[in-house]
Amino acid sequence: MKFKSPPVNSLSLDFLTEFCISLEKLENDRACRGVVITSAIPKIFSSGLDITEMCGKSMEHYAEFWRAVQEMWLRLYSSNMVTLAVINGSSPAGGCLVALSCDYRIMAENPKYTIGLNEAQLGIVAPFWFKDTFVNVVGQRVAERSLQLGSLYPAPEALKFGIVDELVPEEKLQEKATAVMAQWLALPDHARQITKSMMRKTLLDRLVAHREEDIKNFTSFVSKESIQKSLHMYMEMLKKKKS
Amino acid sequence: MKFKSPPVNSLSLDFLTEFCISLEKLENDRACRGVVITSAIPKIFSSGLDITEMCGKSMEHYAEFWRAVQEMWLRLYSSNMVTLAVINGSSPAGGCLVALSCDYRIMAENPKYTIGLNEAQLGIVAPFWFKDTFVNVVGQRVAERSLQLGSLYPAPEALKFGIVDELVPEEKLQEKATAVMAQWLALPDHARQITKSMMRKTLLDRLVAHREEDIKNFTSFVSKESIQKSLHMYMEMLKKKKS
Amino acid sequence: MKFKSPPVNSLSLDFLTEFCISLEKLENDRACRGVVITSAIPKIFSSGLDITEMCGKSMEHYAEFWRAVQEMWLRLYSSNMVTLAVINGSSPAGGCLVALSCDYRIMAENPKYTIGLNEAQLGIVAPFWFKDTFVNVVGQRVAERSLQLGSLYPAPEALKFGIVDELVPEEKLQEKATAVMAQWLALPDHARQITKSMMRKTLLDRLVAHREEDIKNFTSFVSKESIQKSLHMYMEMLKKKKS
């Protein structure tokens, strides 16, 4: 599965909806046992949640958007397929979440590409299930420090802190992905799936149990004047950068 | 304590029963403050649960066997003694669990010896308390990846991932074991025991609370036709290997 | 904030009370967004809880003392400020707890300085919230092993096990502290504070919920004849060492 939503694969409502539909199709396709998630856009895996969806919209829109973000994570984190993130570019915030939710992460060996949950730098807070997904990958300490600082790690540091599992020269990513997928698919599906579910169930159940509350938190937080202001400023900054 | 149940120290019902009795005796012997667990059989620490106990037997037998596996772990993981695993050979599945349940693990520096919870490779699933014991040693991420892949790690990798604490050349294992045990026995028993219990109580309580349910899960899982088939196939493969 | 309570910055009832008042003042001072905790006494950060407060005193005194220890931790661990420990000397037991409760730890690169929760060596047991604070920094396995052995780690090992985040030559500590604090203060306070609280809330709530029970445990434990005896012996040993 190749993300291709120019210019930066930001996770808009449309993009998330399509992503979920694709995942569901593959999930129900018995011939498909694994999925590789990567980007068709050079230098960027995914820029994360689309900030335009969080700016100057109605409460209903915020709620619909957030439900789509939750849905994407619930499907991806609980997928019965082998999920492999091939991170061939930068991957901040929501883009990092997509990668963290896979079973294995290979990143291009390029220190210009960064990855991390940098929400704090934007003045916003990663929700508890972003945090818990992160803790499940890197442990409590690295998560606490990284989330507070909103750290974006260049690929070599991302490997050091365990955010990704392996670095590979960019031109060898595909070859490596094929080898890793083959290794995972060599296992009997049934045992692998039950094992995965056993490891992830607590966290998945937590969001399912608090889903509406989490939506309320998001909508009331994002609609605050101060937050709207800083998101606007951030968007202006991005626009200037582009031009 | 030296495991000696040829050919491969597999954890049969008899073996587990004897192991528990020995542990209990030592536990009640005030003169005994620590125990070293190692193998008298070259190249193998323990091959894990005896598959013949899970193949073509009655539901009652499966239940009795599983209760013995639980009992062994409950005693070992909660032992008041210092428990030191000297892993002088390969140690898959249940053999790895024995090692993980000790206070400290020394392994022979031999890349031919492997260790890990490889249940998934056999098409079966490590129960939750195997998983939790593993997580308590290596953390959530390494556990998730290793359990899904059913990874068996050569000694150097086992050290890298924290499955064992130290590698020592095989001829120096005994010397090292003596030194490590002396270090642990230098602590006042009372404080060490309460500390250990504080660290392990949550997990021990979890199995005690769900013991019967866990037995039911095991017996209904292992008696499935598909599982019986793959265990039979695995046993045939082992027999061919031997001859 | 510089600890200066000769000879060894031990955490006496008076010291803890003053520490809490200072923290509260800074917390309420809007101009103060971060605090550096270090020692004005050469070679020692803090020697930990003052043993004279636990020896030959009344039950009421023990309770009052323990409540002050809890209060210090509750304030420090939940502080809205950026808390930076600059560990310019040894830091056993309660001294280590102070460091572990900060957001970031820089230690002088001197192998003569040691740090750790060495309670077990004194025949006492670190309470559950010392343990949980430790687990949140170094993970379950390192905590289990270190607490059972009462390990004091020289600075280089403390870095290796993740007890501290960075080692710096002693003469560069101040410069480094300024740089690190600037990095943390570059983040918007609000997002950083909510993130921190999200990471630490579970543990803080646990002590608040069991505070009286924890005081009872401490007073009944410390007033035991056997514990009083070993604390007395330890104090005599310290006195001899000094003279």
Side-chain angles (χ1 to χ4, degrees), chain C residues 20 53 60 90 125 127 137 143 147 149-150 155-156 158 199 211 234:
Chain C
C20 281
E53 305 280 11
E60 288 70 34
S90 284
V125 178
V137 173
L147 287 173
L149 289 171
M199 300 299 299
R211 195 164 178 180
Y234 188 74

Side-chain angles (χ1 to χ4, degrees), chain B residues 161-176:
Chain B
F161 287 114
I163 297 168
V164 300
D165 295 299
E166 241 178 301
L167 297 189
V168 173
E170 195 151 359
E171 67 278 12
K172 299 217 167 159
L173 274 178
Q174 191 150 4
E175 187 186 328
K176 185 74 195 182

Side-chain angles (χ1 to χ4, degrees), chain B residues 86-110:
Chain B
V86 173
I87 308 160
N88 53 349
S90 284
S91 194
C96 179
L97 180 74
V98 169
L100 291 171
S101 306
C102 290
D103 292 319
Y104 199 80
R105 284 159 287 285
I106 308 170
M107 190 167 183
E109 201 173 30
N110 185 338

Side-chain angles (χ1 to χ4, degrees), chain C residues 2-231:
Chain C
K2 281 201 174 186
F3 287 165
K4 192 174 178 179
S5 171
V8 288
N9 285 334
S10 63
L11 305 170
S12 65
L13 182 51
D14 285 350
F15 186 96
L16 288 166
T17 309
E18 226 181 295
F19 186 17
C20 281
I21 293 173
S22 306
L23 273 180
E24 193 180 8
K25 268 189 201 159
L26 294 173
E27 205 77 56
N28 294 332
D29 177 355
R30 296 223 158 183
C32 180
R33 300 171 55 219
V35 59
V36 175
I37 296 178
T38 191
S39 164
I41 294 173
K43 296 183 193 164
I44 192 93
F45 178 73
S46 161
S47 67
L49 303 186
D50 188 344
I51 293 176
T52 62
E53 305 280 11
M54 310 189 225
C55 256
K57 297 274 162 55
S58 68
M59 292 299 262
E60 288 70 34
H61 185 86
Y62 296 149
E64 192 189 353
F65 175 61
W66 198 246
R67 191 179 301 277
V69 179
Q70 294 175 331
E71 188 66 28
M72 179 274 290
W73 178 80
L74 287 170
R75 282 183 188 280
L76 187 58
Y77 201 63
S78 70
S79 174
N80 268 325
M81 299 181 285
V82 172
T83 51
L84 172 56
V86 173
I87 309 160
N88 53 349
S90 284
S91 194
C96 179
L97 180 73
V98 169
L100 291 171
S101 306
C102 290
D103 292 320
Y104 199 81
R105 286 159 287 285
I106 308 171
M107 190 167 183
E109 202 173 29
N110 185 338
K112 285 189 186 159
Y113 298 163
T114 60
I115 187 168
L117 293 176
N118 61 324
E119 282 78 353
Q121 288 204 6
L122 281 65
I124 59 179
V125 178
F128 77 90
W129 42 285
F130 279 54
K131 181 261 285 179
D132 287 341
T133 308
F134 199 30
V135 169
N136 273 355
V137 173
V138 298
Q140 174 81 12
R141 172 59 190 154
V142 172
E144 187 186 290
R145 174 178 161 184
S146 306
L147 287 173
Q148 281 200 66
L149 289 171
S151 307
L152 284 176
Y153 295 108
E157 280 194 66
L159 178 68
K160 194 183 115 194
F161 287 114
I163 298 169
V164 299
D165 296 299
E166 240 179 302
L167 298 188
V168 173
E170 195 151 0
E171 67 278 12
K172 299 215 166 161
L173 274 179
Q174 191 150 6
E175 187 186 329
K176 185 74 195 182
T178 310
V180 168
M181 185 54 86
Q183 185 199 6
W184 284 72
L185 291 181
L187 277 288
D189 280 339
H190 191 63
R192 190 189 48 70
Q193 287 160 359
I194 300 180
T195 306
K196 179 174 178 175
S197 150
M198 180 173 65
M199 300 299 299
R200 300 191 165 189
K201 197 177 178 312
T202 312
L203 184 40
L204 287 160
D205 287 352
R206 209 176 300 156
L207 180 57
V208 171
H210 298 96
R211 195 164 178 180
E212 298 309 317
E213 191 188 327
D214 184 58
I215 293 175
K216 250 190 210 160
N217 282 345
F218 173 75
T219 55
S220 77
F221 181 80
V222 85
S223 58
K224 273 185 198 165
E225 212 172 320
S226 61
I227 301 300
Q228 282 293 315
K229 221 182 239 171
S230 51
L231 290 176

Side-chain angles (χ1 to χ4, degrees), chain B residues 60-83:
Chain B
E60 288 69 34
H61 186 85
Y62 296 150
E64 191 189 354
F65 175 61
W66 198 246
R67 191 180 301 278
V69 178
Q70 293 175 332
E71 189 65 27
M72 179 274 289
W73 178 79
L74 287 170
R75 283 183 187 280
L76 187 58
Y77 201 63
S78 70
S79 173
N80 269 324
M81 300 181 284
V82 173
T83 51

